[in-house]
Amino acid sequence: MNTLTGIAAANGIAIAKAYHLVMPDLSYTNKTATDTDQEISRLDASLETSISELEKIKEHAKVTMGEAQAEIFSAHLLILQDPELIAPMKEKITNNNMSAEAALDEVVTEFVTIFENMDNAYMRERAADIKDVSSRVKAHLIGVDFPDPALIDEEVVVIAHDLTPSDTAQLDRKFVKGFATDIGGRTSHSAIMARSLDIPAVVGTQNISEEAHQNDMVIVDGLEGKVLVNPDDSTLETYRNKQTEYEAQRTEWAKLKDEPTFTADGEQVLLGANIGNPGDVDSALENGAEAIGLYRTEFLYMGRSEMPTEEEQYEAYKTVLEKMEGKPVVVRTLDIGGDKNLDYLELPEEMNPFLGFRAIRFCLENEDIFRPQLRALLRASAHGRLQIMFPMIATLDELKKAKALLAEEKKNLTEAGHSVSDDIEVGIMVEIPSTAVMAKQFAKEVDFFSIGTNDLIQYTMAADRMNQRVSYLYQPYNPAILTLVHNVIEAAHAEGKWVGMCGEMGGDPQAIPMLLGLGLDEFSMSATSILPARTQLLGLSKKEVASYTDKILAMSSAEEVVTFINSKTQKS
Ligand code: PEP
Ligand code: MG
């Protein structure tokens, strides 16, 4: 048995066989073909297998990601059926006695070189597609497994060096019982998505992809951040019991599903869910969400080959608003950049992408992308209670520009006869220290704030949220962070505005008492954290936790704060 420690990224215990999501070694020994007909048959057979796999993946993607996102696989299928690509491979086999692998490699390299040197971004993108699909064909020729998360059809724990958000989006909850990765932090987007998919996960183990082999038995303990490879019988039994206990606790929490959220002393707060796509609303409601506190719209733009149209966006936003039946829905405008890229945009590489051209900075410079989103949102506003939120606001000027574009689009739509709600609230994410410090000035210009601690902590502590080596600096309880949160809440309340928190800290059981004491109005979190939070709040007195605020803000370290708050809340 081998035990690895990482970062607990999504709660729960998973026990299943390992599924290695790692690119196989595609090297081969180059031989001259003695039987060219046989080489051509091998090539045809590998193409056929690849085509039938891609068809299955496409069907699966249609269900899990929607028609538009599944279109990328149609493009891949076309490549494998393109005579302009396949015929030269066969010619090389026949005329030059090349092996099927070598012929495939040569032709692919020729095409990729031509496409990569074209001015047109779309064509350069096709080069990446050709490389991608040809790896699958080559794997079949060599006779090695090509990992396909979308085709998993038995219970597994996915093991990977890293999972991109789009890999994570392909995981089917029915079969993928858990996942463990070498790198990543609690607030990396794969971890956030694991929580919304309700899949136990441990990230940042450093070397699970080397320690666990295909089909090894693996336990993912997403409660304590441990991964156990090939556990002995008694360990397996201990973890099966732990799994049963956790399930029993969930049943207990579920009793509060349709209840409002009150503290022990009768104060009401709102518990919202963070979602990434319209399909997540069902799980949010099942988990007792009273609102959507953050809809990360960028996932609508990701894992596909072109921008979503205004119409497509309108449908997505309308679906969320309708499903929430008048409960508040905070939709965040496109927050691309950082660890979230759009393949079809071809943005230049940056030295520090999290400090770079992302979110509102990108949108204000790309009105052709931003305006359709604003229009889609405004049109959808007629179908529910919409609150629009701008991400990564650093200056009042950015906020004013974004608001002006919104007002302009609203005027255009109304003049064109569309119905647009008159009470859309407009707010901002507070995730950049300058904004938290200047909350007083911002509070006059917004209807609400939502504190994005994932970024606020990384920028305040100057610690990359994706880098586990500096994860010790991800300190939500550091008095510096609490002081900023306090400042934001005070400033908003002075102007009669409400404050939510949609960073991961908002659902952290250790932070909840402090946040309640600081006066936070809305807590937005992964759906599965809502019921535990409601249970916890029911046992907390707001008056009591508020009486500790001054003392906590004057403390010198996160450790001091945690020790103090634990001693107080364990007593109460
Ligand atoms: C945040 O920064 O806290 C946040 C909620 O946004 P994201 O995690 O998408 O950057
Ligand atoms: Mg953020």
Side-chain angles (χ1 to χ4, degrees), residues 106-168:
E106 255 195 43
V107 175
V108 166
T109 310
E110 284 165 17
F111 271 78
V112 166
T113 314
I114 297 170
F115 283 12
E116 277 182 344
N117 287 317
M118 287 185 177
D119 278 343
N120 182 322
Y122 178 82
M123 293 314 283
R124 284 200 300 276
E125 224 2 81
R126 299 291 70 76
D129 289 341
I130 295 178
K131 272 198 241 169
D132 191 356
V133 283
S134 69
S135 307
R136 176 181 299 278
V137 181
K138 191 151 87 182
H140 291 307
L141 281 171
I142 298 170
V144 293
D145 284 339
F146 193 79
D148 266 322
L151 295 183
I152 296 172
D153 59 359
E154 56 175 345
E155 293 198 352
V156 295
V157 161
V158 167
I159 304 292
H161 177 62
D162 185 21
L163 281 175
T164 63
S166 65
D167 286 333
T168 318

Side-chain angles (χ1 to χ4, degrees), residues 55-130:
E55 273 163 354
K56 278 193 220 148
I57 295 172
K58 186 179 152 192
E59 284 316 304
H60 181 269
K62 266 194 203 161
V63 181
T64 55
M65 306 196 278
E67 290 272 347
Q69 253 121 322
E71 271 315 298
I72 182 131
F73 299 108
S74 302
H76 286 188
L77 279 163
L78 283 178
I79 295 172
L80 292 187
Q81 288 156 328
D82 186 349
E84 293 204 28
L85 189 76
I86 309 302
M89 291 179 196
K90 295 188 175 172
E91 276 163 28
K92 283 185 194 281
I93 296 176
T94 317
N95 302 340
N96 307 347
N97 288 72
M98 287 180 105
S99 66
E101 290 88 338
L104 173 94
D105 266 348
E106 255 195 43
V107 175
V108 166
T109 310
E110 284 165 17
F111 271 78
V112 166
T113 314
I114 297 170
F115 283 12
E116 277 182 344
N117 287 317
M118 287 185 177
D119 278 343
N120 182 322
Y122 178 82
M123 293 314 283
R124 284 200 300 276
E125 224 2 81
R126 299 291 70 76
D129 289 341
I130 295 178

Side-chain angles (χ1 to χ4, degrees), residues 425-484:
E425 290 186 26
V426 177
I428 59 169
M429 302 264 315
V430 180
E431 49 190 344
I432 296 183
S434 61
T435 308
V437 170
M438 277 178 52
K440 208 167 160 182
Q441 290 89 321
F442 278 97
K444 297 188 197 315
E445 299 290 330
V446 297
D447 296 315
F448 68 93
F449 287 137
S450 185
I451 306 175
T453 48
N454 306 341
D455 280 318
L456 185 63
I457 298 170
Q458 86 162 337
Y459 298 135
T460 307
M461 306 297 292
D464 183 345
R465 65 194 263 192
M466 302 289 286
N467 183 341
Q468 73 268 25
R469 297 189 70 175
V470 292
S471 64
Y472 74 97
L473 286 168
Y474 176 78
Q475 295 184 353
Y477 327 111
N478 188 299
I481 303 297
L482 298 172
T483 302
L484 290 178

Side-chain angles (χ1 to χ4, degrees), residues 74 193 198 210 270 478 530 558 562:
S74 302
M193 286 177 77
D198 198 6
E210 280 165 29
L270 198 71
N478 188 299
I530 293 174
V562 172

Side-chain angles (χ1 to χ4, degrees), residues 54-326:
L54 281 170
E55 273 163 354
K56 278 193 220 148
I57 295 172
K58 186 179 152 192
E59 284 316 304
H60 181 269
K62 266 194 203 161
V63 181
T64 55
M65 306 196 278
E67 290 272 347
Q69 253 121 322
E71 271 315 298
I72 182 131
F73 299 108
S74 302
H76 286 188
L77 279 163
L78 283 178
I79 295 172
L80 292 187
Q81 288 156 328
D82 186 349
E84 293 204 28
L85 189 76
I86 309 302
M89 291 179 196
K90 295 188 175 172
E91 276 163 28
K92 283 185 194 281
I93 296 176
T94 317
N95 302 340
N96 307 347
N97 288 72
M98 287 180 105
S99 66
E101 290 88 338
L104 173 94
D105 266 348
E106 255 195 43
V107 175
V108 166
T109 310
E110 284 165 17
F111 271 78
V112 166
T113 314
I114 297 170
F115 283 12
E116 277 182 344
N117 287 317
M118 287 185 177
D119 278 343
N120 182 322
Y122 178 82
M123 293 314 283
R124 284 200 300 276
E125 224 2 81
R126 299 291 70 76
D129 289 341
I130 295 178
K131 272 198 241 169
D132 191 356
V133 283
S134 69
S135 307
R136 176 181 299 278
V137 181
K138 191 151 87 182
H140 291 307
L141 281 171
I142 298 170
V144 293
D145 284 339
F146 193 79
D148 266 322
L151 295 183
I152 296 172
D153 59 359
E154 56 175 345
E155 293 198 352
V156 295
V157 161
V158 167
I159 304 292
H161 177 62
D162 185 21
L163 281 175
T164 63
S166 65
D167 286 333
T168 318
Q170 287 188 60
L171 303 180
D172 185 340
R173 276 176 69 180
K174 196 157 131 223
F175 299 116
V176 178
K177 295 291 148 193
F179 75 70
T181 61
D182 294 339
I183 64 171
R186 203 180 141 74
T187 59
S188 59
H189 284 95
S190 303
I192 291 170
M193 286 177 77
R195 285 194 284 283
S196 72
L197 289 167
D198 198 6
I199 298 178
V202 175
V203 297
T205 63
Q206 312 219 6
N207 53 352
I208 187 68
S209 68
E210 280 165 29
E211 298 294 330
H213 303 108
Q214 189 79 342
N215 293 331
D216 276 351
M217 186 51 96
V218 172
I219 299 174
V220 173
D221 179 351
L223 300 168
E224 297 201 8
K226 283 192 195 144
V227 190
L228 297 92
V229 183
N230 291 326
D232 52 43
D233 287 347
S234 85
T235 310
L236 260 181
E237 174 154 349
T238 310
Y239 273 90
R240 290 217 166 97
N241 291 339
K242 210 169 160 183
Q243 203 174 28
T244 315
E245 266 168 44
Y246 183 67
E247 286 312 318
Q249 197 173 39
R250 284 170 71 124
T251 314
E252 211 36 50
W253 290 332
K255 292 181 184 154
L256 292 176
K257 177 174 160 290
D258 299 315
E259 299 295 322
T261 313
F262 279 102
T263 62
D265 54 344
E267 295 285 342
Q268 189 166 13
V269 292
L270 198 71
L271 295 190
N274 294 348
I275 63 165
N277 60 61
D280 296 341
V281 177
D282 302 328
S283 147
L285 289 170
E286 265 165 44
N287 280 286
E290 300 167 88
I292 298 298
L294 169 64
Y295 173 9
R296 289 183 165 94
T297 57
E298 47 278 9
F299 291 107
L300 196 63
Y301 293 68
M302 290 164 67
R304 49 188 291 153
S305 49
E306 79 277 335
M307 275 293 157
T309 60
E310 177 184 324
E311 208 50 35
E312 225 180 284
Q313 296 193 54
Y314 163 72
E315 287 299 330
Y317 307 148
K318 176 171 159 248
T319 305
V320 174
L321 286 162
E322 281 180 349
K323 282 190 180 184
M324 289 303 289
E325 294 179 336

